[in-house]
Amino acid sequence: QQQQQQQQQHTASTATTLPLRIDGVWYDIQHYADKHKGGRWLLDYARGRDVTAIFHAIHMHGERTALATLSTLPTLDERDERLQSTQGTHVMAVDATVERMLPTIDSPLRRDLQAMVQRQFPTIESMKATPQHWARTAVAAILCANCWMGWYQGDPLAIGLLPF
């Protein structure tokens, strides 16, 4: 019951803020979330996480505009109590016994993905890349690079083998 009260208090204190970390800075995007072209749900889902990589990947072609918008948003101090015990660094936790202060966002898609990930990777060890995986990745990268060199040189076979 004490934990439930803590969760309710924490949820109430974070209801007025929507913290996201980008490039090492915490931003409060609560008042911008409804204007976000990707939808508020996406930002709510990422609440309390470092989204630097996905931010730059998605806004790659409009990065100047995205960074300009970001510069207008309020920032949060690392010591801000609203940043404590957020959802965690990962979208899905392998260990379901880990308790979080914020409730996780529940949807049929999330449940299906969680079940698939847990079937495929039942332990932390099974998630680590094996030497065979790294070898296959290296071979694929070398073959892809050779195909692109062939494309650059006008080789029809290399062009046909490019993985489009």
Side-chain angles (χ1 to χ4, degrees), residues 27 42 52 90 98 124 152 158:
Y27 292 91
L42 185 62
T52 301
H90 304 289
V98 174
I124 296 289
Y152 182 72

Side-chain angles (χ1 to χ4, degrees), residues 89-159:
T89 56
H90 304 289
V91 175
M92 290 184 211
V94 174
D95 184 1
T97 62
V98 174
E99 296 183 21
R100 292 175 172 51
M101 293 299 285
L102 290 177
T104 56
I105 296 172
D106 190 35
S107 71
L109 173 63
R110 185 179 183 351
R111 286 190 300 272
D112 287 348
L113 288 173
Q114 181 79 34
M116 181 187 73
V117 167
Q118 286 178 338
R119 279 192 310 272
Q120 188 70 30
F121 305 106
T123 66
I124 296 289
E125 273 308 305
S126 65
M127 293 180 185
K128 295 181 179 177
T130 64
Q132 294 83 7
H133 174 260
W134 286 113
R136 286 192 305 266
T137 301
V139 168
I142 290 167
L143 291 173
C144 186
N146 284 330
C147 286
W148 280 109
M149 285 302 295
W151 170 82
Y152 182 72
Q153 295 169 353
D155 181 358
L157 177 61
I159 293 169

Side-chain angles (χ1 to χ4, degrees), residues 27-96:
Y27 292 91
D28 178 7
I29 59 165
Q30 177 68 20
H31 298 294
Y32 174 74
D34 290 327
K35 299 176 208 164
H36 186 254
K37 291 181 182 179
R40 179 186 188 91
W41 72 272
L42 185 62
L43 301 176
D44 281 331
Y45 191 73
R47 176 189 299 272
R49 296 191 177 105
D50 188 324
V51 295
T52 301
I54 194 95
F55 174 83
H56 290 294
I58 289 175
H59 300 101
M60 179 173 26
H61 298 293
E63 189 169 21
R64 191 175 315 163
T65 304
L67 290 173
T69 300
L70 201 59
S71 71
T72 66
L73 299 175
T75 59
L76 299 169
D77 188 279
E78 284 276 342
R79 297 165 293 197
D80 192 312
E81 66 181 31
R82 295 171 293 184
L83 297 176
Q84 304 305 315
S85 302
T86 54
Q87 288 191 52
T89 56
H90 304 289
V91 175
M92 290 184 211
V94 174
D95 184 1

